[in-house]
Amino acid sequence: MRDYHEFLEEILVPAEDVQRRVKELGAEISQDFKNSDRLVLICILRGGVMFLSDLMREITVPHAVEFMAVSSY
């Protein structure tokens, strides 16, 4: 399998910026749901798994995860 960097013309958003924003989102979600036990994260399969995995690590409140498969139209 070839490295995806071979196909990129340019990087639009540096990885560090994405990780910083994921941390911010995790903190916001944790604050918004600090008094709730009903937080459910829903992931669209394939494309969203890596993002959701990173986000889940940053959320400090209890949460459940559901996965949804969709087909292109």
Side-chain angles (χ1 to χ4, degrees), residues 6-72:
E6 295 176 33
F7 302 99
L8 296 178
E9 186 172 314
E10 66 180 310
I11 295 175
L12 299 177
V13 181
E16 297 80 19
D17 291 353
V18 173
Q19 287 303 318
R20 180 182 41 77
R21 185 61 182 136
V22 168
K23 286 181 183 293
E24 292 170 357
L25 287 170
E28 284 182 44
I29 292 168
S30 296
Q31 179 63 33
D32 290 347
F33 288 88
K34 68 182 176 187
N35 297 319
S36 176
D37 61 353
R38 296 181 167 249
L39 176 58
V40 178
L41 307 174
I42 300 172
C43 180
I44 304 299
L45 277 175
R46 306 249 179 155
V49 171
M50 297 305 288
F51 170 77
L52 187 65
S53 296
D54 289 344
L55 182 60
M56 287 170 44
R57 289 185 193 97
E58 301 299 331
I59 295 174
T60 59
V61 297
H63 55 275
V65 181
E66 293 292 336
F67 295 92
M68 190 170 155
V70 297
S71 59
S72 299

